[in-house]
Amino acid sequence: MYFCNVKKKLLYEVSIIRPLIIFLLVVYHSLCVFTGGWSAPAGVPENAAYWWLGRIISGFRIETIAFVGGYVFCYQCVELLKRQRFFQFVWKKFKRLIIPCFVFGIVYYLLYRFNPSRFSWYVAFWRVANGIGHLWFLPMLFWCFLAGWLTDRLLSWLSRYGRVAQLGLAWGLLGALAVVSMLRITGLKMGLSRAPYFFFYFYLGYFLRFLSRGRQVVFGRGSVVALWALYLAFLLLHLQMTKMHLPGLWFDCPKVLRGANLTLIHALNLGHTTCGILALYGSVSRWLARHKTSDDQPGAFLRQCSRLCYGVYVLHMFFMQPIYFFSPFPAWCCGSALGVWLMPWLVLAVTLLLSVVSTLLLLKTRFGRFLIG
C-alpha cells in the first residue's frame, strides 16, 4: 500500500464508488425476491444463482455508503477546512437527511402502508420518523454525521499535542468502534439502534482519509486480491454459521458450526464487510493510479451519475415495489424458464430508467433541489 498525491476539488475515487454502490444497491433489491429479503410474489421459483449473487452484493454494499460519507467528511474537514459550528452542522444535515426522510416517507406510507381501518397517528409518525422501508438509512446516517463531527473536533483539538497523539487516538477509536459495531442494540428510535454498527464504517472512511494526510491510498495488486479472497471466505463462513443450508451446495452446515457463538458470527460479519469495502476501494484506487493523473477530474458522465445518486436511492423503491407486488409482470415472466432469469434484470432496467428520469425532473424544481440536490 502506498499513497498518491491528489490535489483536487472532487475526489475521483468517490465519483466512481458512489454511483457504483448505488447501482449495486438497486441490483440487490431487484434480487430480493430470490434472496429471502422480500416475500416472493406468487409463482416466483427459487434460484440459487441469484441467491448467491444477492448475498455477495449485500455483504458490504450498504455499509460502503456510510464509508463514503465518512471519507468525504474527512476530506471536507481536514483538507478543505470546511468545519462548521455544531448547530449549523446539525441544521445542514437535518435538511439533507431528516426532511427528505419525512417528505418521501409520508408519500411511501400513503402509497404502500396506509390502512384506514387500522390507522394511528402515533404509529404512522414513528414509522415515518424511523425511516419507513428503505429510508431507514437516512436518520441513521444523520446520527453518524453528528458523531463524526464530535470525533473530528476531538482529533483536531488533539493536534496541539502532535501527530503521534492524533494517530494514537485515531487507531484506538478504530479498535473501540469495531468492538462496539459487534453489539446489537434494539428499541431506539430514528435509526439510533443501527447507528453504532454503521458508525464504525463511517469512521473507517474518515480514518482512511485521515491516515493518508490528503493523499489517495493505493493498494498493491496482491493486497486487493487478498482482500477479495478474504471477503469471500469470511462471507461463506458467516453464511454457513447463520444458515442451515445454502442454496446450490451439496452439503449442509457442518455440525461444528451449528449454534456458533453470536460474538463470532458478528466478528465474521465485521470481517467480510470491512474486507469488501477495502477491496472495492482498493480496486478503484489502483485503477485510478494506473489510468489517471493527480490532476485529472471526473468527466461529465461521472459528475452527473454522482449528482443523481441520492435521488435514485430515494426513488427506486417507489417503482420497484409496484412492479414486483402490484403488477402481473412477475407472473408473466415466470411463465417460462427464460423469463425467470430475465425478470430481475428487466425490473432493474425499468426501475433505473424511471428513477433517473424522475430524479432529473425533480432536480429541475426548487423544492426538488432542496430535497435531493
Side-chain angles (χ1 to χ4, degrees):
M1 182 176 72
Y2 60 95
F3 301 108
C4 176
N5 285 313
V6 181
K7 291 183 179 179
K8 55 190 176 184
K9 185 177 181 180
L10 293 177
L11 295 172
Y12 212 128
E13 61 273 28
V14 171
S15 298
I16 296 174
I17 293 174
R18 182 185 284 138
L20 176 60
I21 211 64
I22 294 298
F23 173 75
L24 290 177
L25 177 70
V26 183
V27 171
Y28 169 73
H29 282 155
S30 72
L31 298 172
C32 274
V33 295
F34 298 102
T35 64
W38 299 342
S39 299
V44 175
E46 294 183 357
N47 188 304
Y50 286 159
W51 188 92
W52 279 103
L53 179 59
R55 291 293 175 176
I56 290 172
I57 293 173
S58 69
F60 65 92
R61 46 101 183 136
I62 196 71
E63 291 88 349
T64 305
I65 301 176
F67 170 87
V68 169
Y71 189 87
V72 174
F73 178 65
C74 180
Y75 172 66
Q76 292 172 338
C77 292
V78 177
E79 298 169 44
L80 300 184
L81 300 178
K82 290 185 176 180
R83 291 187 171 96
Q84 296 175 307
R85 294 181 182 276
F86 181 70
F87 289 108
Q88 181 185 9
F89 183 76
V90 169
W91 175 236
K92 176 184 176 182
K93 293 305 174 185
F94 186 88
K95 291 189 296 182
R96 180 66 172 169
L97 297 168
I98 303 301
I99 291 179
C101 177
F102 271 89
V103 172
F104 291 106
I106 290 170
V107 177
Y108 188 93
Y109 177 83
L110 292 174
L111 287 175
Y112 303 122
R113 297 291 187 270
F114 180 65
N115 185 343
S117 63
R118 303 175 63 181
F119 178 75
S120 164
W121 284 105
Y122 178 83
V123 173
F125 171 81
W126 282 114
R127 292 193 75 175
V128 172
N130 289 334
I132 191 169
H134 65 296
L135 300 175
W136 64 266
F137 191 79
L138 300 182
M140 183 283 303
L141 191 59
F142 173 78
W143 300 115
C144 286
F145 271 108
L146 298 196
W149 185 94
L150 294 172
T151 303
D152 174 71
R153 286 304 174 98
L154 178 60
L155 289 171
S156 177
W157 172 80
L158 204 61
S159 63
R160 67 184 68 183
Y161 299 105
R163 179 70 174 175
V164 174
Q166 272 189 314
L167 289 176
L169 178 61
W171 278 102
L173 282 173
L174 186 69
L177 291 172
V179 173
V180 171
S181 74
M182 292 190 289
L183 304 176
R184 294 298 180 263
I185 302 170
T186 59
L188 301 180
K189 303 290 188 181
M190 293 190 68
L192 274 170
S193 292
R194 290 187 173 108
Y197 171 79
F198 279 94
F199 183 61
F200 167 74
Y201 301 103
F202 182 95
Y203 179 74
L204 180 65
Y206 180 98
F207 175 80
L208 190 64
R209 191 70 196 184
F210 180 81
L211 187 67
S212 69
R213 303 183 73 172
R215 295 171 290 176
Q216 181 181 299
V217 182
V218 181
F219 291 75
R221 180 180 179 182
S223 299
V224 172
V225 172
L227 284 168
W228 281 120
L230 284 171
Y231 167 68
L232 293 174
F234 284 142
L235 178 64
L236 178 60
L237 190 55
H238 180 254
L239 291 173
Q240 283 279 13
M241 289 186 172
T242 53
K243 308 288 181 183
M244 291 300 294
H245 176 72
L246 300 181
L249 296 187
W250 63 92
F251 57 89
D252 291 333
C253 175
K255 291 183 179 180
V256 69
L257 298 180
R258 295 177 186 174
N261 186 282
L262 279 177
T263 301
L264 178 58
I265 292 174
H266 294 159
L268 285 170
N269 179 78
L270 173 68
H272 75 66
T273 305
T274 302
C275 287
I277 292 172
L278 294 179
L280 178 63
Y281 175 86
S283 300
V284 171
S285 63
R286 182 170 174 77
W287 182 86
L288 286 174
R290 296 177 62 186
H291 295 89
K292 302 293 180 182
T293 70
S294 60
D295 295 324
D296 283 339
Q297 286 283 284
F301 177 75
L302 279 180
R303 288 172 180 262
Q304 183 71 316
C305 286
S306 293
R307 180 170 174 258
L308 296 175
C309 279
Y310 194 13
V312 170
Y313 162 74
V314 168
L315 295 173
H316 78 279
M317 291 293 286
F318 287 88
F319 303 112
M320 186 176 290
Q321 283 212 339
I323 294 174
Y324 267 133
F325 299 107
F326 302 102
S327 80
F329 185 75
W332 177 77
C333 286
C334 294
S336 67
L338 178 61
V340 173
W341 286 96
L342 291 177
M343 181 176 68
W345 308 113
L346 294 174
V347 172
L348 172 68
V350 173
T351 299
L352 281 176
L353 176 62
L354 293 176
S355 299
V356 168
V357 171
S358 300
T359 301
L360 287 172
L361 292 175
L362 198 55
L363 288 173
K364 290 183 179 296
T365 68
R366 180 179 298 179
F367 186 58
R369 289 191 296 271
F370 171 78
L371 289 175
I372 61 173

mmCIF file of all heavy atoms in Angstrom, residues 184-210:
data_model
loop_
_atom_site.group_PDB
_atom_site.id
_atom_site.type_symbol
_atom_site.label_atom_id
_atom_site.label_comp_id
_atom_site.label_asym_id
_atom_site.label_seq_id
_atom_site.Cartn_x
_atom_site.Cartn_y
_atom_site.Cartn_z
ATOM 1 N N ARG A 184 -25.409 -5.509 19.338
ATOM 2 C CA ARG A 184 -26.696 -5.311 18.674
ATOM 3 C C ARG A 184 -27.642 -4.620 19.652
ATOM 4 O O ARG A 184 -28.021 -5.180 20.678
ATOM 5 C CB ARG A 184 -27.269 -6.639 18.192
ATOM 6 C CG ARG A 184 -26.444 -7.306 17.094
ATOM 7 C CD ARG A 184 -26.375 -6.443 15.840
ATOM 8 N NE ARG A 184 -25.596 -7.061 14.772
ATOM 9 C CZ ARG A 184 -24.322 -6.795 14.531
ATOM 10 N NH1 ARG A 184 -23.675 -5.920 15.308
ATOM 11 N NH2 ARG A 184 -23.684 -7.389 13.543
ATOM 12 N N ILE A 185 -27.977 -3.366 19.322
ATOM 13 C CA ILE A 185 -28.814 -2.542 20.185
ATOM 14 C C ILE A 185 -30.207 -2.463 19.570
ATOM 15 O O ILE A 185 -30.354 -2.302 18.351
ATOM 16 C CB ILE A 185 -28.210 -1.142 20.332
ATOM 17 C CG1 ILE A 185 -26.790 -1.249 20.906
ATOM 18 C CG2 ILE A 185 -29.069 -0.254 21.221
ATOM 19 C CD1 ILE A 185 -26.006 0.045 20.860
ATOM 20 N N THR A 186 -31.227 -2.585 20.376
ATOM 21 C CA THR A 186 -32.602 -2.544 19.876
ATOM 22 C C THR A 186 -33.435 -1.549 20.685
ATOM 23 O O THR A 186 -33.069 -1.158 21.785
ATOM 24 C CB THR A 186 -33.264 -3.932 19.967
ATOM 25 O OG1 THR A 186 -33.268 -4.366 21.340
ATOM 26 C CG2 THR A 186 -32.506 -4.957 19.131
ATOM 27 N N GLY A 187 -34.549 -1.151 20.094
ATOM 28 C CA GLY A 187 -35.531 -0.358 20.819
ATOM 29 C C GLY A 187 -35.400 1.141 20.708
ATOM 30 O O GLY A 187 -36.283 1.868 21.171
ATOM 31 N N LEU A 188 -34.308 1.647 20.102
ATOM 32 C CA LEU A 188 -34.126 3.092 19.992
ATOM 33 C C LEU A 188 -34.758 3.611 18.703
ATOM 34 O O LEU A 188 -34.807 2.915 17.687
ATOM 35 C CB LEU A 188 -32.635 3.443 20.036
ATOM 36 C CG LEU A 188 -31.886 3.002 21.298
ATOM 37 C CD1 LEU A 188 -30.421 3.405 21.212
ATOM 38 C CD2 LEU A 188 -32.528 3.591 22.552
ATOM 39 N N LYS A 189 -35.218 4.848 18.738
ATOM 40 C CA LYS A 189 -35.943 5.435 17.613
ATOM 41 C C LYS A 189 -35.006 6.141 16.634
ATOM 42 O O LYS A 189 -33.858 6.431 16.927
ATOM 43 C CB LYS A 189 -36.981 6.437 18.127
ATOM 44 C CG LYS A 189 -37.996 5.868 19.109
ATOM 45 C CD LYS A 189 -38.960 4.910 18.436
ATOM 46 C CE LYS A 189 -40.083 4.509 19.373
ATOM 47 N NZ LYS A 189 -41.032 3.565 18.752
ATOM 48 N N MET A 190 -35.539 6.403 15.460
ATOM 49 C CA MET A 190 -34.911 7.210 14.411
ATOM 50 C C MET A 190 -33.490 6.760 14.074
ATOM 51 O O MET A 190 -32.585 7.568 13.895
ATOM 52 C CB MET A 190 -34.910 8.687 14.807
ATOM 53 C CG MET A 190 -36.294 9.311 14.867
ATOM 54 S SD MET A 190 -36.247 11.106 15.039
ATOM 55 C CE MET A 190 -35.573 11.606 13.436
ATOM 56 N N GLY A 191 -33.308 5.467 13.954
ATOM 57 C CA GLY A 191 -32.027 4.943 13.496
ATOM 58 C C GLY A 191 -30.949 4.849 14.534
ATOM 59 O O GLY A 191 -29.827 4.420 14.221
ATOM 60 N N LEU A 192 -31.223 5.226 15.767
ATOM 61 C CA LEU A 192 -30.191 5.196 16.806
ATOM 62 C C LEU A 192 -29.738 3.772 17.123
ATOM 63 O O LEU A 192 -28.581 3.556 17.504
ATOM 64 C CB LEU A 192 -30.687 5.879 18.079
ATOM 65 C CG LEU A 192 -30.492 7.394 18.138
ATOM 66 C CD1 LEU A 192 -31.229 7.978 19.333
ATOM 67 C CD2 LEU A 192 -29.010 7.748 18.202
ATOM 68 N N SER A 193 -30.615 2.800 16.974
ATOM 69 C CA SER A 193 -30.226 1.409 17.247
ATOM 70 C C SER A 193 -29.164 0.936 16.266
ATOM 71 O O SER A 193 -28.261 0.185 16.625
ATOM 72 C CB SER A 193 -31.449 0.488 17.174
ATOM 73 O OG SER A 193 -32.344 0.744 18.224
ATOM 74 N N ARG A 194 -29.290 1.364 15.013
ATOM 75 C CA ARG A 194 -28.347 0.925 13.982
ATOM 76 C C ARG A 194 -27.082 1.783 13.931
ATOM 77 O O ARG A 194 -26.063 1.367 13.367
ATOM 78 C CB ARG A 194 -29.014 0.956 12.609
ATOM 79 C CG ARG A 194 -30.091 -0.105 12.392
ATOM 80 C CD ARG A 194 -30.520 -0.051 10.934
ATOM 81 N NE ARG A 194 -31.422 -1.125 10.576
ATOM 82 C CZ ARG A 194 -32.720 -0.985 10.335
ATOM 83 N NH1 ARG A 194 -33.278 0.210 10.463
ATOM 84 N NH2 ARG A 194 -33.475 -2.004 9.976
ATOM 85 N N ALA A 195 -27.130 2.985 14.464
ATOM 86 C CA ALA A 195 -26.027 3.936 14.330
ATOM 87 C C ALA A 195 -24.688 3.408 14.850
ATOM 88 O O ALA A 195 -23.657 3.604 14.188
ATOM 89 C CB ALA A 195 -26.375 5.260 14.999
ATOM 90 N N PRO A 196 -24.614 2.752 16.026
ATOM 91 C CA PRO A 196 -23.305 2.254 16.484
ATOM 92 C C PRO A 196 -22.668 1.265 15.510
ATOM 93 O O PRO A 196 -21.449 1.259 15.346
ATOM 94 C CB PRO A 196 -23.648 1.578 17.822
ATOM 95 C CG PRO A 196 -24.874 2.274 18.292
ATOM 96 C CD PRO A 196 -25.651 2.559 17.053
ATOM 97 N N TYR A 197 -23.495 0.439 14.876
ATOM 98 C CA TYR A 197 -22.958 -0.501 13.886
ATOM 99 C C TYR A 197 -22.398 0.240 12.681
ATOM 100 O O TYR A 197 -21.260 0.011 12.258
ATOM 101 C CB TYR A 197 -24.059 -1.466 13.451
ATOM 102 C CG TYR A 197 -23.678 -2.343 12.273
ATOM 103 C CD1 TYR A 197 -22.868 -3.460 12.455
ATOM 104 C CD2 TYR A 197 -24.109 -2.049 10.987
ATOM 105 C CE1 TYR A 197 -22.505 -4.257 11.384
ATOM 106 C CE2 TYR A 197 -23.760 -2.836 9.907
ATOM 107 C CZ TYR A 197 -22.957 -3.946 10.109
ATOM 108 O OH TYR A 197 -22.589 -4.732 9.034
ATOM 109 N N PHE A 198 -23.161 1.148 12.135
ATOM 110 C CA PHE A 198 -22.747 1.818 10.902
ATOM 111 C C PHE A 198 -21.703 2.899 11.150
ATOM 112 O O PHE A 198 -20.953 3.250 10.229
ATOM 113 C CB PHE A 198 -23.967 2.414 10.187
ATOM 114 C CG PHE A 198 -24.727 1.416 9.390
ATOM 115 C CD1 PHE A 198 -25.818 0.763 9.943
ATOM 116 C CD2 PHE A 198 -24.351 1.091 8.099
ATOM 117 C CE1 PHE A 198 -26.524 -0.179 9.214
ATOM 118 C CE2 PHE A 198 -25.050 0.160 7.358
ATOM 119 C CZ PHE A 198 -26.140 -0.487 7.923
ATOM 120 N N PHE A 199 -21.635 3.427 12.372
ATOM 121 C CA PHE A 199 -20.645 4.467 12.609
ATOM 122 C C PHE A 199 -19.225 3.930 12.478
ATOM 123 O O PHE A 199 -18.310 4.670 12.114
ATOM 124 C CB PHE A 199 -20.829 5.120 13.978
ATOM 125 C CG PHE A 199 -19.866 6.254 14.216
ATOM 126 C CD1 PHE A 199 -19.882 7.368 13.389
ATOM 127 C CD2 PHE A 199 -18.922 6.196 15.222
ATOM 128 C CE1 PHE A 199 -18.982 8.415 13.576
ATOM 129 C CE2 PHE A 199 -18.017 7.230 15.424
ATOM 130 C CZ PHE A 199 -18.047 8.343 14.596
ATOM 131 N N PHE A 200 -19.019 2.643 12.762
ATOM 132 C CA PHE A 200 -17.685 2.087 12.550
ATOM 133 C C PHE A 200 -17.273 2.244 11.098
ATOM 134 O O PHE A 200 -16.128 2.638 10.798
ATOM 135 C CB PHE A 200 -17.628 0.602 12.928
ATOM 136 C CG PHE A 200 -16.374 -0.078 12.444
ATOM 137 C CD1 PHE A 200 -15.159 0.165 13.065
ATOM 138 C CD2 PHE A 200 -16.403 -0.918 11.344
ATOM 139 C CE1 PHE A 200 -13.982 -0.435 12.596
ATOM 140 C CE2 PHE A 200 -15.239 -1.519 10.872
ATOM 141 C CZ PHE A 200 -14.024 -1.279 11.505
ATOM 142 N N TYR A 201 -18.155 1.975 10.153
ATOM 143 C CA TYR A 201 -17.812 2.059 8.730
ATOM 144 C C TYR A 201 -17.711 3.524 8.284
ATOM 145 O O TYR A 201 -16.887 3.850 7.414
ATOM 146 C CB TYR A 201 -18.837 1.283 7.905
ATOM 147 C CG TYR A 201 -18.883 -0.163 8.320
ATOM 148 C CD1 TYR A 201 -19.916 -0.659 9.110
ATOM 149 C CD2 TYR A 201 -17.850 -1.030 7.975
ATOM 150 C CE1 TYR A 201 -19.927 -1.978 9.532
ATOM 151 C CE2 TYR A 201 -17.854 -2.347 8.398
ATOM 152 C CZ TYR A 201 -18.888 -2.817 9.175
ATOM 153 O OH TYR A 201 -18.887 -4.123 9.606
ATOM 154 N N PHE A 202 -18.534 4.376 8.855
ATOM 155 C CA PHE A 202 -18.388 5.817 8.620
ATOM 156 C C PHE A 202 -16.999 6.271 9.074
ATOM 157 O O PHE A 202 -16.280 6.967 8.336
ATOM 158 C CB PHE A 202 -19.477 6.573 9.379
ATOM 159 C CG PHE A 202 -19.468 8.062 9.177
ATOM 160 C CD1 PHE A 202 -20.274 8.650 8.228
ATOM 161 C CD2 PHE A 202 -18.658 8.889 9.956
ATOM 162 C CE1 PHE A 202 -20.274 10.034 8.054
ATOM 163 C CE2 PHE A 202 -18.649 10.262 9.785
ATOM 164 C CZ PHE A 202 -19.458 10.837 8.828
ATOM 165 N N TYR A 203 -16.630 5.863 10.276
ATOM 166 C CA TYR A 203 -15.325 6.256 10.816
ATOM 167 C C TYR A 203 -14.189 5.595 10.035
ATOM 168 O O TYR A 203 -13.112 6.193 9.878
ATOM 169 C CB TYR A 203 -15.226 5.896 12.291
ATOM 170 C CG TYR A 203 -13.874 6.253 12.891
ATOM 171 C CD1 TYR A 203 -13.553 7.582 13.167
ATOM 172 C CD2 TYR A 203 -12.916 5.274 13.127
ATOM 173 C CE1 TYR A 203 -12.312 7.919 13.675
ATOM 174 C CE2 TYR A 203 -11.676 5.602 13.648
ATOM 175 C CZ TYR A 203 -11.374 6.925 13.916
ATOM 176 O OH TYR A 203 -10.131 7.256 14.417
ATOM 177 N N LEU A 204 -14.394 4.383 9.540
ATOM 178 C CA LEU A 204 -13.359 3.725 8.733
ATOM 179 C C LEU A 204 -13.017 4.569 7.513
ATOM 180 O O LEU A 204 -11.847 4.712 7.140
ATOM 181 C CB LEU A 204 -13.842 2.336 8.304
ATOM 182 C CG LEU A 204 -12.874 1.511 7.447
ATOM 183 C CD1 LEU A 204 -11.609 1.163 8.225
ATOM 184 C CD2 LEU A 204 -13.560 0.238 6.945
ATOM 185 N N GLY A 205 -14.049 5.139 6.868
ATOM 186 C CA GLY A 205 -13.799 6.041 5.741
ATOM 187 C C GLY A 205 -13.064 7.289 6.175
ATOM 188 O O GLY A 205 -12.112 7.730 5.521
ATOM 189 N N TYR A 206 -13.504 7.878 7.293
ATOM 190 C CA TYR A 206 -12.821 9.057 7.841
ATOM 191 C C TYR A 206 -11.372 8.720 8.160
ATOM 192 O O TYR A 206 -10.451 9.471 7.822
ATOM 193 C CB TYR A 206 -13.551 9.526 9.098
ATOM 194 C CG TYR A 206 -12.935 10.748 9.753
ATOM 195 C CD1 TYR A 206 -13.447 12.021 9.522
ATOM 196 C CD2 TYR A 206 -11.827 10.632 10.602
ATOM 197 C CE1 TYR A 206 -12.883 13.137 10.113
ATOM 198 C CE2 TYR A 206 -11.248 11.741 11.190
ATOM 199 C CZ TYR A 206 -11.776 12.985 10.947
ATOM 200 O OH TYR A 206 -11.203 14.092 11.534
ATOM 201 N N PHE A 207 -11.157 7.585 8.810
ATOM 202 C CA PHE A 207 -9.827 7.168 9.246
ATOM 203 C C PHE A 207 -8.890 6.958 8.059
ATOM 204 O O PHE A 207 -7.717 7.371 8.092
ATOM 205 C CB PHE A 207 -9.941 5.884 10.060
ATOM 206 C CG PHE A 207 -8.626 5.286 10.462
ATOM 207 C CD1 PHE A 207 -7.928 5.783 11.553
ATOM 208 C CD2 PHE A 207 -8.084 4.224 9.756
ATOM 209 C CE1 PHE A 207 -6.714 5.230 11.929
ATOM 210 C CE2 PHE A 207 -6.880 3.668 10.120
ATOM 211 C CZ PHE A 207 -6.186 4.171 11.212
ATOM 212 N N LEU A 208 -9.381 6.323 7.016
ATOM 213 C CA LEU A 208 -8.539 6.054 5.846
ATOM 214 C C LEU A 208 -8.077 7.353 5.205
ATOM 215 O O LEU A 208 -6.902 7.486 4.836
ATOM 216 C CB LEU A 208 -9.310 5.203 4.837
ATOM 217 C CG LEU A 208 -8.504 4.641 3.667
ATOM 218 C CD1 LEU A 208 -7.447 3.654 4.162
ATOM 219 C CD2 LEU A 208 -9.425 3.956 2.663
ATOM 220 N N ARG A 209 -8.987 8.315 5.092
ATOM 221 C CA ARG A 209 -8.605 9.607 4.513
ATOM 222 C C ARG A 209 -7.701 10.378 5.474
ATOM 223 O O ARG A 209 -6.740 11.033 5.053
ATOM 224 C CB ARG A 209 -9.863 10.420 4.208
ATOM 225 C CG ARG A 209 -9.592 11.667 3.371
ATOM 226 C CD ARG A 209 -9.205 11.301 1.947
ATOM 227 N NE ARG A 209 -8.596 12.433 1.258
ATOM 228 C CZ ARG A 209 -8.232 12.410 -0.015
ATOM 229 N NH1 ARG A 209 -8.408 11.318 -0.743
ATOM 230 N NH2 ARG A 209 -7.683 13.474 -0.568
ATOM 231 N N PHE A 210 -7.981 10.304 6.766
ATOM 232 C CA PHE A 210 -7.168 10.982 7.773
ATOM 233 C C PHE A 210 -5.760 10.412 7.788
ATOM 234 O O PHE A 210 -4.777 11.154 7.895
ATOM 235 C CB PHE A 210 -7.827 10.814 9.147
ATOM 236 C CG PHE A 210 -7.079 11.460 10.274
ATOM 237 C CD1 PHE A 210 -7.198 12.821 10.522
ATOM 238 C CD2 PHE A 210 -6.242 10.710 11.085
ATOM 239 C CE1 PHE A 210 -6.507 13.423 11.558
ATOM 240 C CE2 PHE A 210 -5.546 11.297 12.130
ATOM 241 C CZ PHE A 210 -5.675 12.663 12.369
#
